[in-house]
């Protein structure tokens, strides 16, 4: 009885892959692409912050100054990544805010 059930599952899997294989592989590729893109972006941001920190420490700055420069570099990178969303939020704010009355 278990052997017949196994064959039915194998046949169902083959039919399912034949009918929905493109969609399954497309979804798998999208998930892997999202993980890789976010991971690479995060690594680039960390590399920029570490580079700024190393530059300040090599030039002769203190660790505190290096940390501040690395934080500013990280904020600049995050701002460059998020500026379209900040611009959109600013436009929405200007549209829905309560307008001041003229005197």
């Amino acid at each position: 009885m278990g052997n017949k059930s196994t064959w039915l599952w194998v046949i169902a899997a083959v039919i399912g892959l034949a009918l929905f294989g493109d969609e399954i592989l497309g979804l798998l590729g999208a998930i892997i692409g999202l993980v890789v893109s976010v991971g690479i972006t995060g690594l680039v941001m960390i590399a920029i912050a570490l580079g700024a920190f190393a530059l300040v420490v090599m030039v002769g700055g203190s660790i505190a100054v290096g940390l501040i420069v690395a934080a500013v570099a990280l904020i600049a990178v995050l701002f460059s990544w998020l500026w379209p969303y900040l611009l959109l939020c600013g436009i929405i704010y200007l549209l829905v805010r309560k307008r001041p009355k003229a005197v």
Side-chain angles (χ1 to χ4, degrees):
M1 185 103 175
N3 194 12
K4 184 179 180 183
S5 175
T6 302
W7 279 106
L8 288 175
W9 280 109
V10 169
I11 292 171
V14 169
I15 292 173
L17 283 175
L19 294 176
F20 302 109
D22 291 340
E23 288 81 7
I24 293 171
L25 290 176
L27 180 65
L28 184 64
I31 291 171
I32 290 173
L34 180 67
V35 168
V36 168
S37 69
V38 169
I40 290 175
T41 303
L43 288 175
V44 168
M45 289 190 314
I46 291 172
I48 289 173
L50 285 175
F53 175 77
L55 182 68
V56 169
V57 171
M58 282 191 295
V59 168
S62 67
I63 300 293
V65 173
L67 288 175
I68 291 170
V69 169
V72 169
L74 191 60
I75 289 169
V77 169
L78 286 174
F79 179 74
S80 68
W81 184 52
L82 293 174
W83 75 265
Y85 302 109
L86 295 174
L87 182 65
L88 182 65
C89 289
I91 291 172
I92 290 173
Y93 168 74
L94 290 175
L95 291 174
V96 299
R97 70 184 171 112
K98 192 172 187 179
R99 291 176 176 82
K101 295 189 184 234
V103 176

